[in-house]
Amino acid sequence: RTCSLTVVGVPRDLLPSSRNRSPLTPYGNELVIRSGIAYPDGTAELLPQGVFGITDSRLVDTADGIAVELDGSDRADRIAKAKLLTPWSTASGTAAVTAISNLAADRFPGIEVVDLTSSAETFPPHLLEEKANPWADGIATFADAVGAEALLDRSGRLVVQDVPDPGVTPVAWRFVEGVDCVVTQLQREYTDTVPNAVVITGETFDAAPVRAVAVDSDPASATYYGPDADNPVRGGYGPRPVWETSPLVTTQEQGQKFADARGRQLFGATEKVKVTIVPNVAIDEGDVIYVKRERSESMVTI
C-alpha cells in the first residue's frame, strides 16, 4: 500500500526543516489514515486505509499559504529496506508462519502477525545471507512456499493468508448498470504474455527433489492448456510454462499447493478489466467484485 496526500494548515512548529525533526519528516514517522463519510449531524463513519511510513516530505510555499506534501508506503517497505547485516536462519522443522513472524519481529519489533492460512508445512534449515531483502527473500518467499501470500492490512498488521481463488471466493461488491451504478469508466485489455502452466521444483540437500505442475485447466479460459476442437494436442493459445525453484519445498503436497496458488495468481490474466468508480473506501485489496455494463458487453467477475 502507498499513499500521497497534502496537509494544509500545518502549525509552524510542525513544519519540516533541516533543524526541526517534525512528525512530518520521513525518519521513522508513520501516518494512520482513515477515510469515510461525515454526516450532517456531526457524526462520521470512518474506515482505516492503512498505516504508512513517511517516505518523502515536501514543503510547498505558495501564494495561498504553506502546505506539506507527503508520500508513504506500508510497513512492508520498512521491512524490505532493513536488509540483513548478518545472516539469519531458520531451524529445521520451523513452521512457515513462525518463520515469517520471527523474521518480521526481527526487522520490525512489535509488528502484529495474523495467521489466516491452512498451512501446516514446516521448513528445512534455511539461511538468508547478509544483504538479503527480508521481505522479498524472506517473508514473501516463505509465504509462496506454502501457497500463501503476505500483506499489510489496513490496520498495519502483517497478514498471512492462502492465495484467494476468485472462482470460489464470494463476490463482495456488485456494480450493475442502472440509476444507482457508481461506475464512471470501464477499460478492457487483452494480452498474450500470460503463462498457462507453472512448474515448481523443490531442491534441498537432504531430501529427494520435488516437482509439481499446475496448468490452466478451464476449457472456457482463453489461455486453456489442454485439448480442444481446433488443436487436439493443446489449446489454441499454446503452452506458456514458467518455472520456479524453492529450497523450502520438501514434499509433493507442499509443491502442489505452491503451484496451484501461483496458478491462481497468473492464469486467466490475459484479460484485464480496469473499473473507475465513485470512491468507496470500504473496498479492499483482494475483494472480488461483479461488474455488468451492457455498453461494453461486459459481465465480468474481477
Side-chain angles (χ1 to χ4, degrees):
R1 301 177 191 272
T2 60
C3 72
S4 295
L5 68 154
T6 300
V7 184
V8 297
V10 179
R12 189 172 186 83
D13 60 343
L14 292 183
L15 291 175
S17 72
S18 59
R19 297 181 179 180
N20 183 26
R21 289 297 179 89
S22 161
L24 300 180
T25 54
Y27 306 116
N29 295 316
E30 290 186 323
L31 303 169
V32 179
I33 300 178
R34 297 180 178 87
S35 183
I37 302 171
Y39 296 103
D41 64 2
T43 61
E45 184 177 358
L46 302 177
L47 292 175
Q49 299 302 295
V51 178
F52 305 91
I54 300 175
T55 58
D56 295 280
S57 177
R58 295 176 295 275
L59 185 66
V60 183
D61 188 349
T62 70
D64 297 326
I66 297 177
V68 179
E69 296 179 349
L70 300 172
D71 297 328
S73 293
D74 69 17
R75 290 168 169 175
D77 179 67
R78 175 171 164 179
I79 293 173
K81 289 175 178 175
K83 293 184 178 180
L84 299 176
L85 286 173
T86 57
W88 188 92
S89 62
T90 60
S92 178
T94 301
V97 176
T98 300
I100 290 172
S101 299
N102 292 343
L103 181 55
D106 183 72
R107 300 290 87 188
F108 196 125
I111 192 169
E112 181 180 355
V113 179
V114 180
D115 179 11
L116 300 179
T117 70
S118 58
S119 169
E121 289 87 356
T122 60
F123 292 153
H126 186 68
L127 177 70
L128 293 177
E129 297 183 351
E130 181 181 347
K131 297 189 293 186
N133 180 318
W135 185 268
D137 301 326
I139 291 172
T141 299
F142 295 158
D144 283 341
V146 293
E149 61 183 6
L151 55 91
L152 274 296
D153 71 6
R154 294 181 178 211
S155 298
R157 304 177 304 174
L158 174 55
V159 176
V160 188
Q161 63 185 20
D162 295 333
V163 174
D165 184 348
V168 299
T169 304
V171 173
W173 303 93
R174 296 177 64 87
F175 302 103
V176 179
E177 195 166 24
V179 293
D180 295 326
C181 186
V182 294
V183 174
T184 60
Q185 180 177 309
L186 187 147
Q187 174 183 314
R188 305 183 75 166
E189 176 184 344
Y190 301 90
T191 180
D192 73 343
T193 60
V194 176
N196 60 0
V198 176
V199 181
I200 300 296
T201 304
E203 296 180 354
T204 60
F205 68 90
D206 60 349
V210 173
R211 184 177 185 273
V213 180
V215 301
D216 186 348
S217 57
D218 180 4
S221 172
T223 59
Y224 176 50
Y225 190 104
D228 64 6
D230 299 323
N231 185 335
V233 178
R234 293 188 178 91
Y237 186 67
R240 306 286 179 89
V242 293
W243 286 263
E244 294 189 38
T245 300
S246 173
L248 300 170
V249 174
T250 57
T251 68
Q252 189 65 37
E253 180 182 2
Q254 182 186 352
Q256 195 61 53
K257 182 181 288 187
F258 187 169
D260 292 342
R262 182 66 83 235
R264 290 197 295 273
Q265 293 173 324
L266 297 175
F267 299 162
T270 183
E271 178 183 356
K272 299 179 182 179
V273 178
K274 181 179 180 180
V275 181
T276 304
I277 68 168
V278 175
N280 182 338
V281 298
I283 297 177
D284 200 7
E285 185 274 338
D287 286 349
V288 176
I289 70 173
Y290 174 90
V291 181
K292 180 178 180 181
R293 191 173 174 91
E294 298 290 352
R295 188 166 57 194
S296 304
E297 297 181 354
S298 175
M299 186 180 294
V300 295
T301 300
I302 304 172

